[in-house]
């Protein structure tokens, strides 16, 4: 589904100009697809597709850069488990009162996931795995980050389809933000954004995060075309994603049930974004004295 928008400046009294409202994406939420005995839910299907296609891309990049592609297939089950376990622990930290009220939910690792805790947990798993497999962790992560970015871009489409990350109403943000991103908002009918929520055009963080990942993937694929110092790709990826994600989190809702808490005006994701940028800078610094690799791309 595509929307197009043309923006023109128009008078807004006393010689001032403002941006008009942009068209938005109509609300839709596809149901489950039944294929014989199987039931495919949109979010689960997209996440599974993301893991499989991301693994395939990582294996292709590994082969091109002279690493064993089998390593990047074998690591995937560990990353799936790590994403669920660490992502769920992050959700527990976000909403401890929910788990105190329903303690058994602590063991439902598939229900309630926080992205950054999953990222950080999987990063630790990847470093340990690469060391055990005899792969330079910086080189391994340079390859892995490309596959993970593709998987993230696809998986976040699943979040968008089921509207897991509904953001602020477009009318509440500055005019320049409406002009730049308003055409990517979703027109939620009354009650669909949350119980009692009025009809409104709102930002959809799943969609915006997916577009961020697609943009990062394009950058990484361009950088990967030539030999780079170890850590160049994963460090750049962490800085770019963390920096833009920090800004996007200002569009998260504050008025709906389950809204993320604010600590000194920032979301936990924004603090995690700062950590991601710092880690990316540290990785770039760590690899700056090492020679570019590989000497020749296959």
């Amino acid at each position: 589904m595509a929307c197009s928008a043309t923006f023109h400046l128009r008078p807004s009294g006393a010689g001032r100009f403002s941006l008009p409202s942009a068209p938005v994406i109509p609300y839709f939420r596809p149901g489950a697809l039944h294929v014989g005995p199987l039931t495919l839910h949109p979010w689960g299907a997209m996440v599974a597709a993301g893991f499989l296609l991301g693994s395939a891309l990582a294996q292709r990049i590994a082969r091109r850069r002279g690493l064993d592609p089998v390593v990047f297939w074998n690591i995937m089950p560990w990353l799936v488990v790590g994403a669920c376990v660490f992502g769920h622990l992050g959700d527990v930290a976000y909403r401890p009162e929910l788990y105190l009220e329903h303690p058994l939910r602590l063991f439902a690792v598939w229900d309630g996931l926080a992205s950054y805790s999953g990222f950080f947990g999987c990063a630790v798993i990847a470093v340990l795995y690469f060391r055990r497999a005899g792969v330079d962790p910086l080189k391994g992560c340079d390859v892995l980050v490309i596959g993970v970015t593709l998987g993230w871009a696809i998986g976040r489409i699943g979040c968008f389809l089921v509207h897991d990350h509904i953001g602020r109403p477009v009318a509440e943000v500055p005019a320049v933000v409406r002009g730049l991103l308003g055409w990517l908002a979703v027109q939620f009918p009354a009650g669909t954004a949350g119980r009692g929520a009025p009809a409104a055009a709102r930002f959809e963080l799943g969609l915006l995060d997916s577009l961020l990942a697609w943009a990062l993937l394009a950058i990484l694929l361009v950088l990967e075309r030539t030999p780079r110092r170890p850590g160049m790709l994963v460090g750049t990826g962490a800085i770019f994603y963390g920096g833009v994600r920090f800004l996007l989190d200002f569009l998260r809702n504050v008025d709906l049930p389950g809204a993320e808490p604010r600590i000194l005006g920032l979301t936990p994701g924004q603090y995690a974004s700062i950590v991601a940028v710092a880690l990316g800078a540290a990785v770039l610094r760590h690899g700056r004295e090492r020679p570019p690799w590989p000497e020749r791309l296959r």
Side-chain angles (χ1 to χ4, degrees):
M1 183 177 297
C3 294
S4 60
T6 303
F7 298 99
H8 301 281
L9 290 175
R10 61 185 180 188
S12 182
R16 294 177 298 173
F17 289 86
S18 64
L19 287 168
S21 299
V24 296
I25 300 171
Y27 176 84
F28 67 99
R29 180 166 181 160
L33 177 65
H34 300 280
V35 182
L38 298 177
T39 300
L40 302 177
H41 295 277
W43 182 82
M46 296 305 293
V47 169
F51 270 107
L52 292 174
L53 294 176
S55 174
L57 179 59
Q59 291 174 70
R60 179 178 178 181
I61 298 297
R63 187 177 296 109
R64 172 177 161 82
R65 300 188 75 84
L67 298 180
D68 183 1
V70 175
V71 172
F72 295 88
W73 170 253
N74 291 340
I75 196 178
M76 282 301 152
W78 294 98
L79 296 181
V80 172
V81 173
C84 291
V85 172
F86 287 99
H88 191 61
L89 290 176
D91 189 64
V92 173
Y94 281 165
R95 303 183 293 173
E97 70 285 348
L98 175 64
Y99 293 90
L100 289 174
E101 184 178 353
H102 304 283
L104 291 180
R105 290 194 61 163
L106 180 64
F107 302 99
V109 296
W110 59 88
D111 184 15
L113 301 172
S115 58
Y116 263 122
S117 59
F119 280 151
F120 294 148
C122 285
V124 174
I125 289 174
V127 170
L128 295 176
Y129 186 90
F130 288 137
R131 284 179 176 172
R132 183 172 182 179
V135 176
D136 183 322
L138 286 184
K139 294 180 179 180
C141 288
D142 274 347
V143 171
L144 186 62
V145 71
I146 299 177
V148 168
T149 301
L150 174 60
W152 190 248
I154 296 172
R156 275 306 203 190
I157 294 175
C159 295
F160 164 58
L161 293 177
V162 299
H163 304 298
D164 267 353
H165 302 283
I166 302 171
R168 291 177 181 268
V170 176
E172 292 183 359
V173 303
V176 64
V177 179
R178 293 199 300 271
L180 292 173
L181 299 177
W183 61 284
L184 293 170
V186 174
Q187 182 64 50
F188 286 92
T192 52
R195 184 175 300 176
R202 289 177 173 269
F203 291 104
E204 229 298 345
L205 274 297
L207 174 61
L208 295 179
D209 206 33
S210 177
L211 294 175
L212 167 57
W214 286 112
L216 175 57
L217 178 63
I219 293 171
L220 293 176
L221 289 175
V222 170
L223 292 176
E224 190 276 329
R225 291 172 63 89
T226 58
R228 300 288 178 180
R229 291 186 175 88
M232 172 69 176
L233 298 180
V234 68
T236 300
I239 292 172
F240 181 83
Y241 181 84
V244 180
R245 170 72 183 271
F246 181 90
L247 298 176
L248 289 181
D249 259 32
F250 284 112
L251 301 180
R252 290 193 177 275
N253 83 79
V254 295
D255 61 323
L256 299 178
E260 288 191 2
R262 265 59 175 181
I263 304 171
L264 299 179
L266 300 179
T267 67
Q270 287 176 309
Y271 288 106
S273 293
I274 295 172
V275 174
V277 171
L279 289 175
V283 169
L284 291 180
R285 180 181 178 86
H286 183 65
R288 66 179 180 177
E289 302 298 332
R290 298 178 58 181
W293 77 286
E295 293 183 359
R296 177 183 297 179
L297 294 168
R298 296 182 181 180

